[in-house]
Amino acid sequence: MLMQPEILSETLSRVAVGLARLKGINETVAAPDGTYDLQFDEWDWEVGVGIYGLIRHAEAVEDQSLMEAIARWYDWQISRGLPPRQVNSSSPMLALSVLIDHVDRPDWEVLVKDWADWLVTKLARTEDGGFQHVVKERMNDGELWDDTLFMTCLFLARAGQRFGRQDWIEEAFYQFMAHERYLADPVTGLWYHGWTFNGRHNFANAFWARGNSWITVAIPELFSLVDHVPDHLRRHLTYVLASQVKTLAAHQRDNGMFCTLVCDPQSPEETSATAAIAYGILRGIDLGLLDAELKPVAVKALEAVMQRIDETGIVLEVSDGTPMGHTLDFYRQIPNVPAPYGQALVMLLLVRVMAEKQELEA
């Protein structure tokens, strides 16, 4: 029943409206009346992920008015002045690097190129040349976080593809390799939230679900954003993804959800990670990176996610933005909030499932 196209379509529209209702993290306003407009006030990672989900939805349904609404948000934000550049403020650049295919804004093309060049030449680096996870609150000296690949490297790869800059694409490839070396656990295939060269450890050794889901999404997205991935890298990242997803599947709850700490069934269930893992699995299958036998994991997760969307389109049981934890209890205690990344990761999943339904009916 939940997989019927009309139900999926209605739910997707409702979640998109829910995204438009968000003015800030845990701050909602009335649903838009008439013209669809994004109201999220801050340019940072939360809305960057959100708008990427929204623009992929707009492309999938060829909704020009939605594309214009996204453009209005960028026009508003850029005209008021953008915040200092760091990892998380790079996130909205991913959707902008897609938007410039749909609007004639040479000034935005210049911004995309300038920001990509800044990432490669100016962003602080750790040992081994990894992108240091610099955020607005702190420099995070010597730290690698799994979030970074989604927030910066997908944009860098997309910008490189868009503007014929193979050096930017190669840098994105390298960052996947550098982060995998320090964050991927060779025993389970899961990814730790972070690594620090100051003490050389993985903080709380947390297999944080949303952190893992950034990787489950980022690897297939990387393959879809560039025309060519070298065979050796494709083989390596395929094994990295397959190893991670095998363990994720083993820890899926009977109700389809994943817990905030993947291997701790006593930690809270978390919807954004569940949606992202399901989407990453489906995209991995599409691209031949994962075995089709994993599809039931994604279907079960989709059914669980659909049950956690309220009548106003807000995705429920989404944990707040999560800084680096030094104890596992830190992750267990993160509160739930309405958040644009929760909306977006659900939208990516619904767009992908709807596309499959339309292909089957064609």
Side-chain angles (χ1 to χ4, degrees):
M1 186 70 174
L2 293 176
M3 299 289 283
Q4 292 182 356
E6 60 271 20
I7 294 177
L8 291 168
S9 179
E10 184 279 330
T11 304
L12 179 57
S13 296
R14 191 156 32 100
V15 174
V17 170
L19 176 58
R21 292 183 58 222
L22 293 175
K23 184 176 177 62
I25 293 294
N26 203 21
E27 182 182 1
T28 57
V29 296
D33 183 15
T35 303
Y36 183 96
D37 275 306
L38 292 163
Q39 303 183 58
F40 202 84
D41 191 54
E42 185 179 16
W43 173 291
D44 209 55
W45 74 273
E46 303 96 337
V47 74
V49 177
I51 295 180
Y52 184 63
L54 193 63
I55 200 168
R56 289 309 191 195
H57 169 39
E59 287 184 322
V61 300
E62 299 181 350
D63 188 333
Q64 185 59 33
S65 65
L66 182 53
M67 200 69 72
E68 291 168 359
I70 295 169
R72 284 195 299 274
W73 185 86
Y74 276 102
D75 210 19
W76 168 50
Q77 289 287 341
I78 294 170
S79 66
R80 71 200 294 219
L82 297 183
R85 300 182 186 189
Q86 31 90 353
V87 167
N88 285 344
S89 66
S90 298
S91 175
M93 297 304 297
L94 175 57
L96 185 62
S97 70
V98 176
L99 182 61
I100 56 176
D101 283 352
H102 302 277
V103 298
D104 183 19
R105 291 296 299 262
D107 54 329
W108 291 356
E109 293 187 19
V110 171
L111 176 62
V112 167
K113 289 188 282 189
D114 185 64
W115 202 299
D117 183 70
W118 178 87
L119 281 173
V120 172
T121 61
K122 301 291 177 55
L123 179 62
R125 304 256 185 160
T126 67
E127 289 183 31
D128 293 6
F131 282 171
Q132 184 170 300
H133 194 79
V134 180
V135 296
K136 62 185 177 184
E137 298 88 354
R138 62 191 69 87
M139 285 294 294
N140 292 322
D141 180 61
E143 296 181 17
L144 299 174
W145 294 24
D146 47 20
D147 316 41
T148 304
L149 296 179
F150 192 103
M151 305 308 163
T152 65
C153 296
L154 293 184
F155 158 61
L156 191 58
R158 162 64 187 171
Q161 179 67 42
R162 177 65 164 73
F163 294 107
R165 289 293 299 268
Q166 187 63 31
D167 55 329
W168 293 350
I169 296 173
E170 291 294 335
E171 184 63 45
F173 289 164
Y174 177 76
Q175 292 302 322
F176 272 78
M177 300 286 285
H179 281 69
E180 186 266 340
R181 178 183 176 193
Y182 293 99
L183 297 177
D185 173 39
V187 177
T188 64
L190 298 176
W191 286 50
Y192 296 108
H193 187 182
W195 164 269
T196 176
F197 287 97
N198 299 319
R200 309 188 80 86
H201 58 75
N202 293 108
F203 296 97
N205 293 328
F207 295 136
W208 175 45
R210 190 163 62 237
N212 270 272
S213 77
W214 294 132
I215 305 305
T216 317
V217 172
I219 292 176
E221 287 297 293
L222 177 69
F223 283 88
S224 66
L225 289 169
V226 299
D227 288 342
H228 175 68
V229 178
D231 183 62
H232 70 278
L233 182 60
R234 179 184 179 89
R235 290 169 59 198
H236 180 73
L237 291 179
T238 297
Y239 286 124
V240 168
L241 180 64
S243 178
Q244 183 211 39
V245 169
K246 179 181 179 181
T247 301
L248 287 172
H251 286 88
Q252 186 176 31
R253 303 300 303 277
D254 290 342
N255 65 358
M257 293 290 285
F258 291 89
C259 291
T260 298
L261 293 172
V262 173
C263 303
D264 178 8
Q266 301 305 312
S267 65
E269 295 173 350
E270 210 282 326
T271 307
S272 69
T274 300
I277 290 167
Y279 172 74
I281 288 173
L282 292 175
R283 291 298 293 138
I285 293 171
D286 293 341
L287 296 166
L289 308 175
L290 294 173
D291 195 300
E293 292 180 359
L294 287 162
K295 187 173 181 178
V297 177
V299 172
K300 194 173 180 181
L302 169 65
E303 292 171 348
V305 167
M306 294 280 283
Q307 300 290 345
R308 288 162 175 81
I309 303 167
D310 73 14
E311 66 279 2
T312 69
I314 297 297
V315 179
L316 307 175
E317 298 178 35
V318 173
S319 60
D320 202 351
T322 306
M324 189 58 58
H326 292 263
T327 68
L328 295 180
D329 272 343
F330 173 83
Y331 295 89
R332 299 183 183 108
Q333 294 168 10
I334 296 292
N336 291 333
V337 295
Y341 49 86
Q343 306 295 125
L345 294 171
V346 170
M347 290 173 69
L348 286 172
L349 174 60
L350 293 176
V351 166
R352 163 57 185 75
V353 175
M354 284 182 60
E356 180 180 336
K357 292 291 182 183
Q358 291 165 355
E359 288 175 6
L360 292 175
E361 293 176 356

